[in-house]
Each structure stands twice: as C-alpha cells, then as structure tokens.
Amino acid sequence: MRRTPSRRLFAAAILVASVLAPMGAVPATAGTAGTAASLAVGDRHDQDGHQAGGFSRAMTARLDKAVEKVRREANIPGVAVGLWMPGKGRYVRASGVADTTTGQPMSTDLYTRIGSETKTFTVTALLKLVDDGRIRLDDPISRYVRGVPNGHRITLRHLAEMRSGLFPYTEDPDFVRDLLSDPGRSFGQREVLAYGFKHRNTFAPGKQFQYCNSNLVLLGLVIEKVTGHRVADVIHKRVLHPAHLDHTLFPSGPEFPEPHARGYTNQTLSGKVEDSTDWNPSWAGAAGAMISNMHDLRRWAKTVATGTLLSPETQKQRLRMLPTGHPGTSYGLGIFKSGGWIGHNGSIPGYESVTVYLPSQKATLVLLLNTDITHDGQEPSSLVARAITEIVTPKNVYDRPVPPR
C-alpha cells in the first residue's frame, strides 16, 4: 500500500515526524555515473600534494570517494558541495548530472530552489523589525493576523521557534491533492493557511517542538502588515541587499533563473518520479519559495549564524536553542544546531540543500542536490552532509535523525 506524501512536502522540515512516501528510483542515464568534477577549485597540486587553496590530495580523494558513495547508493542525480575551512583548505566540487535526460554534468555555479532555507531569510527580516522597535517577539499573532486558531496565545516567538501548536497546512490531505493535481497552480498565503486552520491545534503554545510551515507563512504576513510591503520586497531590501546576496531571490511564480539543474521528485499522486523543475513554489511562500546559488549561500551561512545584520541582543535571542525531542539537534528562531553546525536545510519537490556554519572552526558547508527522494527514510542531503562532516569535523558531525515512518 502506498503511503501518502503529505508530510514530505516540506522535508525541509528539519525534524518532521513524517509518514514517508516510498522511495522511487531516479531515471538512470549514461551521465548519471559521472565522477566527481572540480568546477570552482582547480585540480592543480603543489609539491607537497596540496590542492591549490584546498585540502591535501589525500583528503580531497577521501571526500570525493565519500560523496560519490552516498550519491550512488542514494540514487542522487547530481550534487554540488562547497566546504571552506580557514587555515585547512576548501573543497568545491560537483558530481553526477544536472539533467538525467541529456547527461549534462552537475555544476557548482547553478541556481537552485532552497526550500526551507527561506525561513532563515524570513525570520531575519522579522528580527530586523524587532531591532527597529516596530514589533516584539512576545506579541500575539492575533495583533497582526485575524482568524488564527488560539492566536491570542500564540506569539511571534512561538511561531519562529516552531512551538505554536498550529496544524501544518502541508499535512492536510486536501492541500496535498490540490497541489499535486496541479503543481503549476498559484496559491495565496491565506489560502494555504486555511487548509491548516480547518484542524484543531496539536498542542498548547510553547509546550513542544513541531516543525510547521504555517508558522512561517504567518510571519510573512506579519512582515507585510507592519511594513505595508510584500514580504519578498522587504527581504530583498532589508536582508539580501545589505548581505550582498546578488543571486538570491524570492520568486512570485515558477520563474527560475538560468543556469539551473533539473529537479526530480516522487512526491506525486502516482508515486512515480517526475521532473518538478518548473513547479510553482507559491504554496511555500515565506516558508520555502526562495532561490539562491552556492556563492550566495556561502556568504549567508556565516551572516545568519553570527548575526551581522542584527543587534547582539536580538542575535542572542535567535540562537537560544531549545530541544526538539531529537538528541543532538536543537532549534532557535528560524535556525537550528546539529552537531555544532548552525544554519538550516531545505527541501522542496525536486531539490534539497544544506547551508551551515561551524563557529568553533569558522567552517562553512553548502550542499545542493537535484532530488528530494529519500533513501532508507533519510533525506539525501543529510546523508551527504553526514559523510562529509564525519571526515573533516569528526567531533562535529551533522547528523539529523531519521524521521519516524
């Protein structure tokens, strides 16, 4: 019997307690078996065997082998890896294919859909308003948005911490059917919230952690209410511009800048693998619709983890990590910590990403994949991140738990 894909629609959900659709095989082509290729860092080595600006030849080979092993075992079409460790080296490589039909090689200079990494941008925009004195984190959501179940008790802080108790709209069967029946459809933000608001809240505000995209859609509406501008415009002006992120955008529909990889998902009504590249991400909105590339995400990883756009007090509140119920992983205000790495992952049908920063070593890791199809119940991006960090930071392994079946 086939399982519903409903709770996987945002496998970006760092720790979604989910019912997982069965994994489908990615269509194989002659290009799928391509070996790792360095695209942003040359393969030149000095007389001591160190790659120019990179790790030693031996370390590079270990990483190549580990990434390729996971890519093949998990049937990942293509993966791009960016790892920067000041004083130790860097590793910027791509392997596999960006297009399973043409065999076009994967590259490190592609745009990609970043799914729930969008949350780090939305919450940063919200926290800028906190610094401006225009909102307070302990304001109830009912002050800004009407009709939220128990909204007089749910605060903006609860929403950003994933502790609101609201039912996630992406888990509503009607929403899943409506989206997957017409992936090109445009959804309004209040429209998607209505799917979740049909259900009773799952717990009292602040009592526990539950990953819920309704929370971030609501915070997007708060930003719009307070500023009088679209959340996409506020993020561009208040976050992307000052952070110098020139290749990051919040699309209004299915537009997708070139170059980009084709994306592959089995979150379909039939359960078969489909090309989801041009699906409309409007349903994800402030919770997961954004697009970026490796260059910008590298810069963003340190910016969001160290709080250079925020006041020290606000950043301190952001990094107040609370238990998620899963050992080794905690969640703050639109940001998580896993094995000491701070940042967020993203997943939207056809694409996954990880952007994290390790303060103790000032290290940055960015992963871009063109599939979200799980392998043995685990997101492919987590498998790649774990394999890499086991090698380069064995005391700080990125290790998100396997979601329950």
Side-chain angles (χ1 to χ4, degrees):
M1 181 177 70
R2 190 177 162 272
R3 302 174 189 268
T4 174
S6 62
R7 295 193 181 183
R8 275 198 56 226
L9 280 170
F10 256 120
I14 129 184
L15 300 164
V16 191
S18 57
V19 178
L20 298 171
M23 185 191 74
V26 176
T29 70
T32 306
T35 56
S38 176
L39 297 168
V41 179
D43 284 324
R44 292 175 292 110
H45 295 81
D46 61 24
Q47 60 183 0
D48 297 319
H50 285 75
Q51 190 178 43
F55 291 104
S56 68
R57 180 181 294 149
M59 176 62 78
T60 298
R62 285 186 65 193
L63 290 169
D64 283 348
K65 183 178 180 180
V67 171
E68 190 63 8
K69 181 175 185 290
V70 172
R71 191 184 70 79
R72 290 174 181 271
E73 289 181 352
N75 291 315
I76 301 168
V79 56
V81 178
L83 172 66
W84 298 267
M85 300 185 70
K88 294 186 177 180
R90 59 178 179 169
Y91 176 87
V92 184
R93 317 267 283 186
S95 66
V97 296
D99 187 324
T100 61
T101 300
T102 66
Q104 175 189 351
M106 190 64 170
S107 170
T108 60
D109 62 357
L110 303 176
Y111 284 94
T112 192
R113 300 195 187 279
I114 61 172
S116 277
E117 288 199 40
T118 301
K119 293 174 172 64
T120 61
F121 295 96
T122 300
V123 173
T124 299
L126 183 85
L127 295 178
K128 296 280 283 186
L129 296 176
V130 171
D131 278 343
D132 292 346
R134 302 178 70 179
I135 62 172
R136 295 181 301 175
L137 284 171
D138 294 317
D139 288 342
I141 184 61
S142 60
R143 180 173 297 178
Y144 306 98
V145 182
R146 294 181 180 179
V148 180
N150 206 21
H152 66 292
R153 294 185 58 204
I154 296 172
T155 67
L156 306 187
R157 188 188 303 273
H158 288 142
L159 296 168
E161 290 176 340
M162 299 294 178
R163 292 174 176 268
S164 70
L166 291 171
F167 185 90
Y169 69 88
T170 50
E171 295 185 17
D172 176 74
D174 292 334
F175 168 75
V176 175
R177 183 194 64 241
D178 291 346
L179 173 63
L180 298 185
S181 296
D182 182 12
R185 172 180 171 179
S186 180
F187 285 86
Q189 298 304 276
R190 291 182 182 271
E191 181 182 7
V192 296
L193 287 171
Y195 288 100
F197 290 173
K198 295 186 303 183
H199 302 266
R200 295 181 60 179
N201 290 10
T202 55
F203 53 84
K207 292 298 182 181
Q208 64 187 70
F209 173 93
Q210 181 189 29
Y211 198 91
C212 174
N213 293 292
S214 303
N215 296 336
L216 268 290
V217 171
L218 281 168
L219 291 181
L221 293 179
V222 171
I223 292 169
E224 294 185 340
K225 175 75 172 181
V226 173
T227 65
H229 298 285
R230 296 187 315 136
V231 63
D233 295 334
V234 176
I235 288 175
H236 177 80
K237 180 179 180 180
R238 300 297 309 276
V239 181
L240 303 182
H241 182 70
H244 306 291
L245 305 182
D246 300 325
H247 299 91
T248 302
L249 64 146
F250 194 136
S252 59
E255 61 267 25
F256 201 165
E258 294 282 359
H260 59 254
R262 308 301 298 180
Y264 303 95
T265 188
N266 65 350
Q267 295 199 66
T268 59
L269 289 179
S270 67
K272 295 181 179 178
V273 176
E274 293 183 11
D275 184 324
S276 57
T277 308
D278 299 315
W279 286 16
N280 191 333
S282 61
W283 60 272
M290 290 180 67
I291 292 169
S292 190
N293 70 2
M294 183 175 289
H295 177 274
D296 275 13
L297 293 176
R298 175 192 179 185
R299 182 187 295 272
W300 181 240
K302 182 177 181 180
T303 298
V304 71
T306 60
T308 54
L309 296 183
L310 303 172
S311 70
E313 175 55 32
T314 297
Q315 180 68 3
K316 182 178 179 181
Q317 292 191 65
R318 177 170 215 171
L319 295 182
R320 177 176 168 261
M321 301 288 179
L322 298 177
T324 61
H326 300 271
T329 305
S330 52
Y331 205 90
L333 299 177
I335 196 169
F336 70 71
K337 179 183 286 188
S338 176
W341 292 88
I342 297 173
H344 217 289
N345 67 318
S347 182
I348 195 166
Y351 299 91
E352 287 202 342
S353 58
V354 174
T355 298
V356 287
Y357 182 78
L358 184 62
S360 63
Q361 299 195 38
K362 298 182 179 179
T364 299
L365 175 64
V366 177
L367 303 179
L368 308 177
L369 289 73
N370 60 342
T371 187
D372 67 314
I373 300 173
T374 58
H375 177 69
D376 290 341
Q378 297 187 73
E379 295 174 356
S381 59
S382 295
L383 295 172
V384 177
R386 183 183 307 126
I388 291 171
T389 55
E390 284 177 342
I391 293 172
V392 297
T393 56
K395 294 183 179 180
N396 297 98
V397 176
Y398 179 101
D399 192 20
R400 289 185 43 237
V402 179
R405 290 185 180 275

